[in-house]
Amino acid sequence: MLNIFPFIGWLRTYKWSFLPKDFMAGLTVAIVLIPQGLAYALIAGLPAVYGLYASMVPLLIYTFFGTSRSLGVGPVAMDSLLVAAGLGAIASVGPENYIAMAVLLAFMVGFIQLFLGLLRMGFLVNFLSKPVISGFTSGAALIIMLSQLKYLLGTDIEGSSQLHNIIWNTILKAGEFNPYDLGIGLSGILLMIALRKWNKKLPYILLVVIIGIVSVYFFQWVDKGVDIVGEIPKGLPVAAIPDLSWKSMMPLWPIAFTLSLVGYLETISIGKGIEDKMNNDQLDANRELVALGLSNMTGSIFQSYPVTASFSRSAIYHEAKSKTNLATLITALIVLLTLLFLTPLFYYLPKAALAAIIMVSVYNLIDVKYALVLWKYRKDEFLVLLSTFAITLFVGIMEGILVGVLISLLLMVYRTSNPHLAVLANIKGTPYYRNIKRFGSDALVRKDLLIIRFDAQLYFGNSSFFKSRLLELIDGKGPELKAVILNAEAINYIDSSAAHMLRNLLEMLYQKGIQFYIAGAIGPTRDILFSSGIMELLPKECLFVETREAVLFFDDPAKKSQLQNKVALQRNTLGN
Amino acid sequence: MLNIFPFIGWLRTYKWSFLPKDFMAGLTVAIVLIPQGLAYALIAGLPAVYGLYASMVPLLIYTFFGTSRSLGVGPVAMDSLLVAAGLGAIASVGPENYIAMAVLLAFMVGFIQLFLGLLRMGFLVNFLSKPVISGFTSGAALIIMLSQLKYLLGTDIEGSSQLHNIIWNTILKAGEFNPYDLGIGLSGILLMIALRKWNKKLPYILLVVIIGIVSVYFFQWVDKGVDIVGEIPKGLPVAAIPDLSWKSMMPLWPIAFTLSLVGYLETISIGKGIEDKMNNDQLDANRELVALGLSNMTGSIFQSYPVTASFSRSAIYHEAKSKTNLATLITALIVLLTLLFLTPLFYYLPKAALAAIIMVSVYNLIDVKYALVLWKYRKDEFLVLLSTFAITLFVGIMEGILVGVLISLLLMVYRTSNPHLAVLANIKGTPYYRNIKRFGSDALVRKDLLIIRFDAQLYFGNSSFFKSRLLELIDGKGPELKAVILNAEAINYIDSSAAHMLRNLLEMLYQKGIQFYIAGAIGPTRDILFSSGIMELLPKECLFVETREAVLFFDDPAKKSQLQNKVALQRNTLGN
């Protein structure tokens, strides 16, 4: 039971003394969440009130199924942008069914997450490497910031999710900016930066919201054309099953899949980040996926668009030392009260103030430092980051992730298809055999022996590379060469194509009168040597635990002990 | 010069004494090639004479650019099927421009091969792993055999390249079979099998052709409805540049790309196979690609469809001990003479006899033994073979290769994302540290030490697997654990995501008061340890050359020698 309903765990051991902490944490998050929700709904191209809907039911559900007490689930900027970019690119989504599609998307995202969680496929997220995530996040953050220019300038700029289009459209309309909107936006940004520098604990977002509302109301800036949030429908969202027809869902699957992975990735990385700091929680990746899935699906029934964990709000829960998931429940209840009674307060909230809040929030997601580190030490991974970043900016959000993942995988494949091959020799005065290129004149190279180490699994992608490099090295040694020793420590697998190549190679070497020894093969590799017929060609005494033993054997075959053989020839006959 | 025109090499050193061997080899191949050419053109859906066109100019060109004296270039069954399957699937290719498209295809295939060869991209072919090649070859051979049923039965069966459709269409028309066609076909098959068993050197294909022609002529079987080759246009093909408009080429690119890779693969594997037997030729993969590309492009101008090396004919060159590429030239000249004077001889050749020749030729390509070996020892690669085979049969030829390559790559990625992690201990009475699971009670496990070996590169796909497995093992050890030793011999790379994880992990371990040692890191990995900031957390004395030294150091830190440090800490400061 505890596995399915983690809340039973904390409810059973709940103490009244936890309540003040949980209440304060819940309230503090709500104060940030409400304006963020209104703002993020605008990013997603939805009426502001949908941000509040997304801030209520999903949190209620997460309270009962989530495994972390510090995750601030709800609407977030990145996913809101993905919703807007995804739906905007689908022809069949018009203004008349845009809201319904965004809500349906939450259901599909939840379904995929639930499905992946139940199948324990949480590991899939591993394929989003750090350079891809960083490039994508920075790119998306930049797009989000630029997409707010229309509210900051107070002009009607045509929307786009491609950098060059946004800039071009903005230039076209920049002359028509409204000085009041721009003034509100810029002062909001400066105010938040200043307040945050002054005291991190100030509710600076709430302050900007209050100042914005009060100013617009008292100075009657609406008459000056300042764009305001306007009337937010009072009351709770109506429960309704979204339109689950195949025709509606078909075009949404790619976005839903991207959103479910990206959303899950955010949740997991925030959760793991906090866990690293706390050193005690045990976040369960697959159960988190289930919790997130149920939150999205149920949320969708109550008019929510896709949600996930937010960096900023999770940090608040963590800093306010919330004791249990009750804090999340309290946040949800405050949003509920707001929907019931407080929405009229936001009537005069200027959209430029919301734009300022968004810009300040996402600015921190742009990570230049990491990119510079990669540029310095990992040119290849820098390329992955840069491609992901550029494609996210100039082509599209989903394309950015997709191409990033593909390039990362190709890079991995390329790396293993052109692996490092070192020629080893005894290092003077030591028992070690190491790369002659690294130890220069300390390496005692012998003319009758070629010792090599191959630093990759041997598989179809590199087996002919291995063969031709080895034959080159043998040719280079000339006729004095009597034996080749392969240090196999770093060969963690041999596939059937490579095994075939090795058998072939052995026959060639024996024809030339050259012996072949294998040293340091790990267990799984030994099993393959036996099962793939290589050991039918290679005499058993040619397997060694260590390179130095192979050299000793080459110099005097009598020296090999029974014990060495026992370890060198150990194999699993039972499989695995 | 020799690099561009390899023929200068053999022409300069040519001796008259080579001529008899070269002439006999050339003649023997021509005797096989002419009926094969007629037959394979039928597979490709072309008039029989196009098989002869493809057997002339491409061979002339290959004579001058090829690097192997034993490669029998010309029309082959597999590529003919690919041409038929590929062109058949394209809506814009109708019966009226089918021939022109097949010829254009040869030009495009040649262009791609030339391009890849000049860019030295021959390594691309490595990504066709042995299971993919075997599954694809067996599947295609089966499809080719079944596609000949219509000639064997002498009925008009609708063509298809999908197994179930071929079988279904055959069942629909099987009742209408022509007993004479079937008789000719079956006796042809039996005769060839018998002749081959009796004496391998007999020109059994030629015999079946002669017996077929003579029987049809004398018994006047044409009146009984026997399908014959009929009139083959006399004379040489007209030279013409194919229609290189973008509109014609656009839909052909995917087939052209597949054909160029498959064709190249066949050439290279035949060439390497022969080379393995001879132990002296040095086949140059990229120059072969250039030679094949030029043969196809020039061939196309003289009405040839795509060609590559044939298994059977290359074997004949090899067995007839052809001395130089002059043998290929002689074959081409005999085909030329046939086109000029002998085509009327083939008028009465029954198509059922050609079908028999095809079926016997490709039957040997079906490799069940290799599949059984994989099934026994490599379930994962067997799955690759089976998927490639099944998709080739039931979906399509190109889809089979494509899916096969994708599954092979995914398997490789999956393998590295779930790698082998072994817990090591000292093996009683030896200096070795090995997997405790493999050595049972001989392994001396210590409570204060956890020694692990990770058998893969550490990268984004497995870094969280590594972390969670290690933490599990640490938890399992309990509070007595004082140090973790990572045997890094098999870790051939650490990417930035994994480096980040390692830094994180080190901080966690130090908080728990657990030491961390790394033993056996190879050069490139050591460089990464230094460049990625891991060594800023890990004291330098915690790097070791061998596991046993790390254990000794743990027991008594005073014992580490300067020499050990020198080798353990060696790094390249110059990069690479």
Side-chain angles (χ1 to χ4, degrees):
Chain A
M1 279 303 277
L2 199 63
N3 262 334
I4 311 175
F5 300 110
F7 74 95
I8 296 177
W10 58 260
L11 211 57
R12 207 182 269 159
T13 55
Y14 201 82
K15 292 192 190 123
W16 284 108
S17 59
F18 292 172
L19 198 57
K21 286 255 181 223
D22 280 345
F23 182 80
M24 274 313 293
L27 176 68
T28 319
V29 168
I31 286 172
V32 174
L33 172 58
I34 292 166
Q36 274 188 341
L38 299 172
Y40 294 160
L42 297 186
I43 298 182
L46 294 166
V49 70
Y50 282 84
L52 298 183
Y53 295 162
S55 307
M56 195 179 62
V57 176
L59 278 73
L60 284 175
I61 303 298
Y62 187 82
T63 303
F64 296 106
F65 293 95
T67 60
S68 167
R69 67 193 184 200
S70 302
L71 281 181
V73 168
V76 306
M78 186 102 68
D79 292 39
S80 303
L81 178 66
L82 268 167
V83 168
L87 293 182
I90 296 174
S92 64
V93 177
E96 73 290 356
N97 61 351
Y98 189 92
I99 296 175
M101 291 295 110
V103 169
L104 170 59
L105 204 50
F107 193 89
M108 294 167 68
V109 167
F111 176 79
I112 294 172
Q113 288 173 332
L114 183 65
F115 185 78
L116 292 178
L118 293 177
L119 288 180
R120 312 192 66 73
M121 303 280 272
F123 77 91
L124 271 183
V125 86
N126 293 344
F127 288 99
L128 294 169
S129 65
K130 235 177 107 58
V132 171
I133 296 167
S134 174
F136 167 72
T137 308
S138 298
L142 211 55
I143 295 280
I144 291 172
M145 288 178 70
L146 291 173
S147 72
Q148 297 307 305
L149 282 178
K150 65 174 171 181
Y151 298 116
L152 209 66
L153 294 170
T155 63
D156 188 28
I157 298 169
E158 203 189 327
S160 168
S161 59
Q162 296 175 323
L163 184 72
H164 48 286
N165 286 333
I166 299 181
I167 292 178
W168 181 242
N169 294 343
T170 306
I171 290 172
L172 284 181
K173 298 292 187 91
E176 305 167 16
F177 75 95
N178 180 324
Y180 291 90
D181 278 315
L182 189 59
I184 293 170
L186 291 182
S187 353
I189 292 174
L190 293 174
L191 189 62
M192 279 188 282
I193 295 174
L195 287 174
R196 206 161 54 171
K197 265 216 165 145
W198 184 43
N199 185 341
K200 276 210 160 188
K201 296 215 162 167
L202 278 180
Y204 56 88
I205 292 183
L206 186 69
L207 281 173
V208 167
V209 167
I210 292 174
I211 295 172
I213 293 173
V214 170
S215 314
V216 171
Y217 179 75
F218 275 102
F219 299 115
Q220 302 197 335
W221 279 338
V222 176
D223 303 339
K224 310 285 184 188
V226 164
D227 203 5
I228 55 170
V229 167
E231 194 169 327
I232 298 176
K234 221 175 186 177
L236 301 180
V238 184
I241 303 286
D243 166 26
L244 297 175
S245 69
W246 190 243
K247 197 175 146 258
S248 304
M249 295 203 293
M250 254 294 275
L252 299 186
W253 282 116
I255 322 168
F257 196 76
T258 315
L259 263 169
S260 51
L261 275 196
V262 169
Y264 172 58
L265 174 76
E266 287 171 49
T267 298
I268 281 296
S269 34
I270 296 170
K272 296 231 164 189
I274 293 173
E275 198 174 88
D276 280 353
K277 284 184 203 149
M278 315 226 296
N279 264 329
N280 59 350
D281 269 1
Q282 263 299 342
L283 195 77
D284 181 322
N286 290 304
R287 266 158 66 194
E288 259 330 285
L289 206 38
V290 169
L292 212 52
L294 290 173
S295 301
N296 270 316
M297 286 176 80
T298 320
S300 165
I301 296 173
F302 293 92
Q303 311 295 318
S304 164
Y305 74 99
V307 298
T308 185
S310 135
F311 281 90
S312 52
R313 299 191 302 270
S314 301
I316 296 175
Y317 278 130
H318 177 61
E319 280 163 25
K321 300 201 169 48
S322 62
K323 290 286 170 186
T324 65
N325 274 6
L326 192 69
T328 312
L329 187 67
I330 287 164
T331 307
L333 291 178
I334 295 172
V335 174
L336 188 146
L337 289 177
T338 306
L339 271 170
L340 285 179
F341 307 111
L342 305 181
T343 54
L345 288 182
F346 297 104
Y347 184 88
Y348 284 106
L349 176 58
K351 285 186 177 175
L354 288 179
I357 293 170
I358 292 172
M359 289 177 122
V360 170
S361 305
V362 301
Y363 174 75
N364 294 316
L365 296 179
I366 301 174
D367 190 350
V368 180
K369 220 163 82 185
Y370 178 67
L372 289 178
V373 169
L374 285 188
W375 165 252
K376 202 163 164 199
Y377 295 113
R378 313 264 191 160
K379 296 277 186 294
D380 53 348
E381 296 192 41
F382 176 76
L383 194 81
V384 173
L385 187 148
L386 192 69
S387 325
T388 311
F389 180 69
I391 291 172
T392 304
L393 284 183
F394 295 104
V395 183
I397 302 273
M398 277 186 292
E399 289 83 351
I401 291 195
L402 200 71
V403 172
V405 170
L406 275 180
I407 298 181
S408 315
L409 287 179
L410 279 180
L411 196 68
M412 207 274 280
V413 168
Y414 177 80
R415 206 158 54 221
T416 48
S417 73
N418 288 273
H420 185 247
L421 191 151
V423 177
L424 309 185
N426 183 228
I427 305 305
K428 205 193 293 176
T430 76
Y432 311 129
Y433 284 79
R434 291 272 148 176
N435 190 347
I436 55 174
K437 280 204 188 138
R438 284 173 174 264
F439 288 90
S441 60
D442 284 345
L444 306 168
V445 182
R446 290 173 57 157
K447 285 192 176 170
D448 52 350
L449 256 183
L450 172 64
I451 311 175
I452 57 159
R453 195 188 64 216
F454 189 69
D455 294 346
Q457 55 172 308
L458 259 173
Y459 79 115
F460 61 88
N462 63 24
S463 74
S464 67
F465 168 86
F466 175 83
K467 187 179 174 186
S468 63
R469 277 291 285 136
L470 183 56
L471 290 179
E472 257 175 60
L473 289 169
I474 288 174
D475 277 356
K477 278 284 189 176
E480 283 177 75
L481 184 68
K482 291 285 170 290
V484 173
I485 301 177
L486 171 64
N487 177 322
E489 282 166 358
I491 299 178
N492 39 53
Y493 189 78
I494 300 176
D495 83 347
S496 72
S497 308
H500 178 81
M501 176 278 294
L502 278 179
R503 285 197 302 271
N504 237 307
L505 186 71
L506 276 177
E507 282 172 359
M508 283 181 68
L509 291 182
Y510 289 158
Q511 274 188 24
K512 292 186 182 181
I514 296 174
Q515 291 304 305
F516 192 76
Y517 304 138
I518 298 179
I522 59 174
T525 305
R526 281 200 305 275
D527 292 345
I528 293 171
L529 289 177
F530 280 99
S531 71
S532 63
I534 293 172
M535 296 308 293
E536 286 160 25
L537 292 168
L538 191 72
K540 280 195 180 166
E541 60 267 26
C542 294
L543 275 198
F544 299 87
V545 187
E546 299 186 345
T547 305
R548 68 189 76 155
E549 294 167 356
V551 177
L552 283 176
F553 176 85
F554 172 71
D555 288 334
D556 180 2
K559 279 208 179 133
K560 197 177 186 190
S561 71
Q562 276 307 306
L563 211 58
Q564 278 181 28
N565 262 334
K566 187 186 165 194
V567 177
L569 296 174
Q570 188 281 336
R571 59 187 287 210
N572 267 2
T573 41
L574 304 171
N576 195 36
Chain B
M1 275 306 274
L2 201 63
N3 261 333
I4 309 176
F5 301 110
F7 74 96
I8 296 178
W10 58 260
L11 211 57
R12 207 183 270 159
T13 56
Y14 201 83
K15 295 193 188 118
W16 285 108
S17 60
F18 292 170
L19 199 56
K21 286 259 181 220
D22 281 344
F23 183 79
M24 274 313 292
L27 176 69
T28 320
V29 168
I31 286 171
V32 174
L33 172 58
I34 292 164
Q36 274 188 345
L38 299 172
Y40 294 159
L42 296 186
I43 298 182
L46 294 166
V49 71
Y50 282 84
L52 299 182
Y53 295 163
S55 307
M56 196 179 62
V57 176
L59 278 75
L60 285 175
I61 303 298
Y62 187 81
T63 303
F64 297 105
F65 293 95
T67 60
S68 167
R69 66 194 185 200
S70 302
L71 280 182
V73 169
V76 305
M78 187 99 70
D79 292 39
S80 303
L81 178 66
L82 268 168
V83 168
L87 293 183
I90 295 173
S92 64
V93 178
E96 74 288 355
N97 61 350
Y98 190 91
I99 296 175
M101 290 294 110
V103 170
L104 169 60
L105 204 50
F107 194 88
M108 293 166 67
V109 167
F111 176 79
I112 294 172
Q113 289 172 332
L114 182 65
F115 185 78
L116 292 178
L118 293 177
L119 287 181
R120 312 192 67 72
M121 302 281 272
F123 76 91
L124 271 184
V125 87
N126 293 344
F127 287 98
L128 293 169
S129 66
K130 235 178 108 57
V132 171
I133 296 166
S134 173
F136 167 73
T137 309
S138 298
L142 211 56
I143 294 280
I144 291 171
M145 289 179 70
L146 291 174
S147 73
Q148 297 308 304
L149 282 177
K150 67 174 171 184
Y151 299 116
L152 210 67
L153 293 171
T155 62
D156 188 26
I157 298 169
E158 201 189 329
S160 169
S161 61
Q162 294 175 324
L163 184 73
H164 49 284
N165 286 333
I166 300 180
I167 292 178
W168 181 242
N169 294 344
T170 307
I171 290 173
L172 284 181
K173 297 292 187 87
E176 306 167 15
F177 76 95
N178 180 322
Y180 291 90
D181 277 317
L182 189 60
I184 294 170
L186 290 182
S187 359
I189 291 174
L190 291 174
L191 188 63
M192 277 188 284
I193 294 174
L195 287 174
R196 206 162 54 169
K197 263 215 164 147
W198 183 42
N199 186 340
K200 276 210 159 192
K201 297 216 163 167
L202 280 179
Y204 56 89
I205 291 183
L206 185 68
L207 280 173
V208 168
V209 167
I210 292 172
I211 295 173
I213 293 172
V214 171
S215 316
V216 171
Y217 180 75
F218 276 102
F219 300 115
Q220 302 195 336
W221 279 340
V222 175
D223 304 341
K224 309 286 184 188
V226 163
D227 202 9
I228 56 170
V229 166
E231 194 168 327
I232 298 178
K234 223 177 186 174
L236 300 181
V238 184
I241 301 286
D243 165 25
L244 296 175
S245 69
W246 190 244
K247 198 176 146 255
S248 305
M249 296 205 292
M250 252 295 275
L252 300 185
W253 282 117
I255 323 167
F257 195 77
T258 314
L259 264 167
S260 51
L261 274 196
V262 170
Y264 172 58
L265 174 76
E266 286 170 53
T267 300
I268 280 296
S269 34
I270 296 169
K272 295 232 162 188
I274 295 172
E275 195 175 89
D276 279 352
K277 284 185 201 146
M278 314 228 296
N279 265 331
N280 59 349
D281 269 1
Q282 263 299 341
L283 195 77
D284 182 322
N286 291 305
R287 264 158 67 192
E288 246 349 271
L289 205 39
V290 169
L292 212 52
L294 290 173
S295 301
N296 270 315
M297 286 176 81
T298 320
S300 166
I301 294 172
F302 293 91
Q303 311 294 316
S304 164
Y305 74 98
V307 300
T308 184
S310 137
F311 280 90
S312 52
R313 299 191 303 270
S314 301
I316 297 174
Y317 278 129
H318 177 61
E319 279 162 26
K321 298 202 170 46
S322 62
K323 290 287 170 190
T324 65
N325 275 5
L326 192 70
T328 311
L329 187 67
I330 287 162
T331 307
L333 292 177
I334 295 171
V335 174
L336 188 147
L337 290 176
T338 307
L339 270 171
L340 285 179
F341 307 111
L342 305 180
T343 54
L345 288 182
F346 297 105
Y347 185 88
Y348 285 106
L349 175 58
K351 285 188 176 173
L354 287 180
I357 293 170
I358 291 172
M359 288 177 124
V360 170
S361 304
V362 300
Y363 174 76
N364 293 317
L365 295 180
I366 300 175
D367 189 351
V368 180
K369 218 163 82 184
Y370 178 66
L372 289 178
V373 170
L374 284 189
W375 163 251
K376 204 164 161 198
Y377 295 112
R378 313 263 190 161
K379 296 277 186 297
D380 52 347
E381 295 191 43
F382 175 75
L383 194 81
V384 173
L385 187 148
L386 192 69
S387 324
T388 312
F389 180 70
I391 291 174
T392 304
L393 284 183
F394 295 106
V395 183
I397 302 272
M398 277 186 291
E399 288 84 350
I401 291 194
L402 198 69
V403 172
V405 170
L406 273 181
I407 298 181
S408 315
L409 287 180
L410 278 181
L411 196 68
M412 205 275 279
V413 168
Y414 176 80
R415 207 158 53 219
T416 49
S417 73
N418 288 271
H420 186 247
L421 189 151
V423 176
L424 310 184
N426 182 229
I427 306 305
K428 206 193 292 175
T430 76
Y432 310 130
Y433 284 80
R434 290 272 148 178
N435 191 346
I436 56 173
K437 281 204 186 136
R438 284 174 174 263
F439 287 90
S441 59
D442 284 346
L444 306 169
V445 181
R446 291 173 58 158
K447 285 192 175 168
D448 53 349
L449 257 184
L450 173 65
I451 311 175
I452 57 161
R453 194 189 63 219
F454 189 69
D455 294 346
Q457 57 172 307
L458 259 173
Y459 78 116
F460 61 87
N462 64 23
S463 73
S464 69
F465 168 86
F466 175 82
K467 188 181 174 187
S468 63
R469 279 288 286 133
L470 183 57
L471 290 179
E472 256 175 60
L473 288 169
I474 289 175
D475 276 354
K477 278 282 189 176
E480 283 176 77
L481 184 68
K482 292 283 171 292
V484 172
I485 300 176
L486 171 65
N487 177 322
E489 282 166 357
I491 298 177
N492 38 53
Y493 190 76
I494 300 177
D495 82 347
S496 72
S497 308
H500 177 80
M501 178 277 295
L502 279 179
R503 284 197 303 272
N504 236 306
L505 186 71
L506 276 177
E507 282 173 359
M508 282 181 68
L509 290 181
Y510 289 157
Q511 273 188 24
K512 292 185 182 183
I514 297 173
Q515 289 305 305
F516 193 77
Y517 304 138
I518 298 178
I522 59 175
T525 306
R526 280 200 306 276
D527 291 345
I528 293 173
L529 289 178
F530 280 99
S531 71
S532 63
I534 293 172
M535 296 308 292
E536 286 161 23
L537 291 168
L538 192 72
K540 280 194 179 165
E541 59 266 27
C542 294
L543 275 196
F544 300 87
V545 187
E546 299 187 344
T547 306
R548 69 189 74 151
E549 294 167 355
V551 177
L552 284 177
F553 177 82
F554 171 71
D555 287 335
D556 180 3
K559 278 202 181 139
K560 197 175 187 191
S561 70
Q562 276 308 305
L563 211 58
Q564 278 181 28
N565 262 333
K566 186 188 165 191
V567 176
L569 297 175
Q570 187 280 337
R571 60 187 285 209
N572 269 2
T573 39
L574 304 171
N576 196 32

